[in-house]
């Protein structure tokens, strides 16, 4: 079966712009989590959605937001981009929020210049 | 103190060596322990998970948990260049199952 699909794979934006990243989970998975990965901070949890509701949220500013659609696809948005937002953004899906095995997409590499 | 600590490496070993990768954690209530592998330019993939203490073996990989020391290990026997990747430990919180991640250890297997 198809894995987790993230689009786009690469993105270059300038400071102050906003960006929207997309994630299509594995068919049947209803939980989608987003992570930011940087060399200095490692994997940091952004938020988790299940059945179109945000269930958990990490410690990120309000510029980072997300949503989930009825087909479980998810988007995350970052407004007023800063240089420090340059990172690999990873999406992971699982059947439920209690499912400890998460399947990751290949990520979106965001570079802010 | 971070809840999960992991040496970022890099760890470089010759092909065929036994590799030991480790994490320590602070919360004695943690029960599930997971190891993910991440190749360059890819997302992490689940390699193994263990519940509570003891060992779990899968081919050349063995995961070990020592709850008394709050120490988890991943051993790789007969290491191959294809094992070169970053290995991350992850522990789900009992309250909301959110994964707490180690920093990841970059492993390099030299042919």
């Amino acid at each position: 079966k198809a894995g987790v699909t993230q689009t786009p794979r690469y993105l270059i934006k300038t400071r102050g712009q906003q960006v929207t990243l997309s994630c299509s989970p594995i068919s049947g998975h209803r939980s989608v989590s987003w992570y930011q990965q940087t060399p200095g901070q490692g994997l940091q949890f952004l938020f988790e959605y299940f059945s179109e509701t945000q269930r958990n949220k990490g410690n990120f500013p309000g510029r980072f937001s997300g949503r989930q659609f009825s087909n479980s696809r998810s988007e995350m948005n970052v407004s007023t981009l800063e240089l420090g937002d340059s990172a690999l953004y990873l999406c992971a899906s699982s059947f439920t929020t209690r499912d400890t095995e998460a399947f990751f997409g290949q990520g979106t590499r965001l570079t802010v210049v | 103190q971070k809840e999960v600590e992991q040496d970022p490496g890099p760890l470089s070993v010759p092909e065929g060596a036994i590799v030991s990768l480790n994490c320590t954690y602070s919360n004695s209530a943690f029960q599930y322990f997971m190891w993910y592998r991440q190749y360059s330019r890819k997302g992490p993939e689940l390699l193994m998970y263990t519940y509570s203490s003891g060992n779990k073996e899968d081919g050349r990989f063995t995961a070990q948990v020592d709850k008394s020391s709050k120490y988890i290990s991943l051993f790789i026997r007969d290491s191959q260049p294809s094992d070169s990747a970053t290995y991350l430990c992850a522990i789900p919180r009992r309250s909301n199952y959110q994964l707490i991640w180690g920093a990841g250890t970059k492993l390099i297997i030299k042919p």
Side-chain angles (χ1 to χ4, degrees):
Chain A
K1 58 183 175 182
V4 178
T5 303
Q6 289 189 247
T7 56
R9 289 290 312 279
Y10 302 94
L11 210 48
I12 300 175
K13 291 285 189 178
T14 55
R15 278 182 298 175
Q17 285 187 310
Q18 74 163 16
V19 66
T20 299
L21 312 181
S22 179
C23 172
S24 293
I26 291 171
S27 178
H29 286 191
R30 294 169 64 192
S31 174
V32 173
S33 296
W34 288 90
Y35 294 86
Q36 181 194 67
Q37 187 175 35
T38 58
Q41 298 296 318
L43 263 169
Q44 293 190 284
F45 173 74
L46 280 155
F47 26 67
E48 179 184 25
Y49 286 87
F50 180 79
S51 292
E52 302 177 66
T53 303
Q54 188 178 90
R55 299 301 175 117
N56 289 305
K57 190 177 189 305
N59 191 25
F60 276 81
R63 300 186 297 107
F64 292 81
S65 62
R67 59 178 176 168
Q68 186 180 34
F69 302 95
S70 57
N71 61 359
S72 294
R73 191 177 70 84
S74 178
E75 289 181 348
M76 68 162 280
N77 184 276
V78 188
S79 62
T80 320
L81 284 166
E82 301 177 359
L83 295 178
D85 297 333
S86 295
L88 180 67
Y89 289 88
L90 289 160
C91 163
S93 79
S94 56
F95 282 108
T96 71
T97 56
R98 291 172 176 260
D99 205 346
T100 51
E101 181 171 4
F103 294 83
F104 283 83
Q106 295 196 81
T108 294
R109 172 75 62 185
L110 172 65
T111 302
V112 182
V113 297
Chain B
Q1 182 191 7
K2 288 188 176 181
E3 291 181 278
V4 179
E5 301 267 12
Q6 183 178 16
D7 186 336
L11 176 63
S12 182
V13 302
E15 182 177 355
I18 295 175
V19 175
S20 172
L21 302 164
N22 310 293
C23 289
T24 58
Y25 61 94
S26 58
N27 190 336
S28 57
F30 291 150
Q31 289 188 305
Y32 280 94
F33 306 92
M34 313 171 83
W35 286 96
Y36 279 78
R37 178 176 62 193
Q38 184 175 20
Y39 290 115
S40 181
R41 304 183 188 281
K42 300 281 189 181
E45 58 177 343
L46 181 64
L47 198 56
M48 297 181 69
Y49 70 90
T50 53
Y51 175 74
S52 195
S53 285
N55 292 2
K56 184 174 182 179
E57 192 173 313
D58 184 1
R60 297 184 295 111
F61 297 86
T62 300
Q64 189 174 80
V65 177
D66 182 348
K67 293 199 79 180
S68 62
S69 303
K70 300 195 196 85
Y71 195 85
I72 60 175
S73 301
L74 178 70
F75 299 97
I76 307 174
R77 292 186 302 280
D78 187 25
S79 56
Q80 304 293 311
S82 58
D83 295 327
S84 297
T86 297
Y87 290 80
L88 303 107
C89 59
I91 304 175
R93 294 187 192 281
R94 294 188 70 180
S95 57
N96 61 7
Y97 301 92
Q98 179 189 320
L99 291 174
I100 311 165
W101 295 87
T105 299
K106 183 173 183 177
L107 174 66
I108 301 166
I109 308 296
K110 298 176 293 185

